[in-house]
Amino acid sequence: MAETTTSRLFTASLPDLIYISFRLIIGGVFIWAGAVKLMDPKSFGQIISQYRIVPEMFLPVIAIGLPLIEVLAGLGLIADKPYCLSLITSMIIMFIIILWFGILKNLDIDCGCFSASEQNYHDGLKTAFKRDWGLLAMSFYLFFHRVRFKQLFVF
């Protein structure tokens, strides 16, 4: 008889449960963040422009493209598709670098992580910076789990 997903979940080991939970958490965060930004790309573009690291002519492309990639990568990670973990980890590292830049420049702006009112000003950048380090740690666990349990694809 074929084993069902539910029966596999009840017989899964702790590392497997952590692996599934982290995929759901990270994937959910990326889906949520991307979807909120897609609902108001103009506001997201204005937040991006405040960092002053993207030329004005690329703002519309990034304001729509980045959230779309976040949603698709989040869905792919939840479905455990190849390369989505690498894509999400790369985005987290990029977000950490951008937030660090904002903190070092003492920018009083929204982090742009979710909605325009999600986190306000400099404390928001620091909170998002810490949260992204947590997401990065979870993504490293996912890589470790894939290597440790010799899944077909590591990245």
Side-chain angles (χ1 to χ4, degrees):
M1 184 184 327
E3 188 176 19
T4 66
T5 304
T6 306
S7 65
R8 279 184 287 170
L9 189 59
F10 287 118
T11 60
S13 66
L14 182 60
D16 290 335
L17 291 174
I18 293 170
Y19 178 77
I20 293 166
S21 298
F22 282 3
R23 279 186 17 238
L24 292 173
I25 291 168
I26 297 169
V29 166
F30 271 75
I31 292 167
W32 175 33
V36 168
K37 289 181 260 194
L38 280 172
M39 286 189 268
D40 191 5
K42 186 174 181 178
S43 292
F44 180 53
Q46 291 170 346
I47 291 168
I48 295 171
S49 71
Q50 292 175 349
Y51 282 95
R52 290 184 235 128
I53 56 176
V54 175
E56 288 287 324
M57 64 186 209
F58 294 123
L59 286 175
V61 174
I62 292 175
I64 294 171
L66 182 60
L68 187 59
I69 292 170
E70 287 177 320
V71 170
L72 294 174
L75 289 169
L77 184 63
I78 288 173
D80 211 11
K81 297 295 181 187
Y83 307 110
C84 290
L85 177 56
S86 295
L87 179 57
I88 283 182
T89 303
S90 299
M91 284 190 286
I92 293 170
I93 291 169
M94 178 185 70
F95 297 154
I96 287 172
I97 292 168
I98 291 169
L99 290 167
W100 184 40
F101 170 81
I103 292 167
L104 289 176
K105 292 284 190 179
N106 204 24
L107 297 177
D108 283 333
I109 59 174
D110 187 291
C111 73
C113 304
F114 298 97
S115 67
S117 61
E118 178 257 338
Q119 293 180 346
N120 291 317
Y121 306 109
H122 196 65
D123 285 340
L125 294 181
K126 290 178 182 176
T127 301
F129 185 74
K130 292 173 190 172
R131 179 185 56 229
D132 283 358
W133 277 104
L135 290 172
L136 186 63
M138 285 191 272
S139 71
F140 284 158
Y141 177 86
L142 296 178
F143 278 116
F144 169 77
H145 186 277
R146 287 181 177 182
V147 169
R148 171 76 172 90
F149 296 100
K150 304 201 187 310
Q151 292 189 355
L152 295 177
F153 56 91
V154 175
F155 301 101

